[in-house]
């Protein structure tokens, strides 16, 4: 019998890439990843190391579903990430990009993008933890 709660519940956080190939334009002649198999184990601190352009960021983007694999599958806790609701996946993954983007609104609103429900105090606390509070206060409008 199917139980929708069980279907989306994740009990461990191993990330597994199985035969993952990827091309940004969908043309396999231009693939940037070819048959990648690996496991990022639960509670491990893991670095992907390699030459510039070798595909490290691309792997991170695929895990976060900014893009989908062209071939192969990615699993978190044994679940195909395509079967995990995006809202749930967003709760599981924090993505710090290499390139930084700020939206054209206040610093407070930019920080609050990470959690719309955050109180002002929580936003200030987050800024402090990221060691941004000092330079924010030097900005024209604080
Ligand atoms: N949005 C994109 N559209 C098309 N090709 C892309 C895109 N982003 C990256 N690529 C190409 O995919 C390949 C892998 O790039 P990726 O950014 O994943 O490498 P990286 O290992 O993270 O490099 P770096 O160490 O410079 O951050 C490169 O050839 C890159 O030019
Ligand atoms: Mg990169």
């Amino acid at each position: 019998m199917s139980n929708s709660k069980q279907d989306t519940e994740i009990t461990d956080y191993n990330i597994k890439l199985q035969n993952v190939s990827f091309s940004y334009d969908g043309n396999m002649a231009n693939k940037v990843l070819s048959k990648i198999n690996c496991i990022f184990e639960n509670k491990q601190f893991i670095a992907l190391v390699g030459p510039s352009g070798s595909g490290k960021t691309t792997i991170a983007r695929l895990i976060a579903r900014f893009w989908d694999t062209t071939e192969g599958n990615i699993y978190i806790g044994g679940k195909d990430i395509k079967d995990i609701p995006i809202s749930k996946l967003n709760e599981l993954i924090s993505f710090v990009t290499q390139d930084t983007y700020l939206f054209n609104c206040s610093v407070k609103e930019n920080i609050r993008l990470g959690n719309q429900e955050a109180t002002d105090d929580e936003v200030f606390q987050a800024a402090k933890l990221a060691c941004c509070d000092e330079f924010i206060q030097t900005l024209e409008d604080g």
Side-chain angles (χ1 to χ4, degrees):
M1 206 168 81
S2 124
N3 171 327
S4 64
K5 187 158 189 282
Q6 257 171 19
D7 286 348
T8 55
E9 209 155 84
I10 292 168
T11 49
D12 77 74
Y13 298 92
N14 291 332
I15 301 172
K16 181 175 165 189
L17 275 66
Q18 192 172 63
N19 279 321
V20 169
S21 299
F22 179 72
S23 147
Y24 277 98
D25 63 6
N27 178 353
M28 289 310 262
N30 302 325
K31 67 185 166 197
V32 298
L33 297 175
S34 181
K35 293 202 166 66
I36 304 286
N37 287 285
C38 62
I39 294 177
F40 302 109
E41 294 241 8
N42 215 20
K43 297 189 177 170
Q44 298 292 303
F45 188 87
I46 293 171
L48 275 177
V49 180
S52 183
S54 59
K56 305 175 295 290
T57 295
T58 302
I59 287 177
R61 286 181 185 143
L62 294 178
I63 293 169
R65 287 202 70 198
F66 294 176
W67 297 79
D68 279 328
T69 60
T70 312
E71 283 170 6
N73 295 296
I74 299 176
Y75 303 89
I76 297 181
K79 280 211 173 303
D80 192 320
I81 56 172
K82 287 181 185 152
D83 296 328
I84 301 174
I86 292 290
S87 57
K88 177 81 187 163
L89 200 62
N90 286 343
E91 282 172 23
L92 298 177
I93 295 173
S94 299
F95 199 105
V96 180
T97 59
Q98 210 168 338
D99 316 299
T100 49
Y101 301 97
L102 286 175
F103 290 97
N104 190 13
C105 52
S106 70
V107 174
K108 188 160 84 181
E109 287 166 301
N110 270 281
I111 295 174
R112 189 172 275 132
L113 282 173
N115 174 8
Q116 300 289 322
E117 255 99 74
T119 62
D120 279 359
D121 275 350
E122 286 170 329
V123 171
F124 298 148
Q125 184 63 14
K128 206 170 181 161
L129 286 171
C131 301
C132 295
D133 55 326
E134 276 183 26
F135 88 77
I136 290 169
Q137 278 160 33
T138 66
L139 298 174
E140 206 175 318
D141 297 319

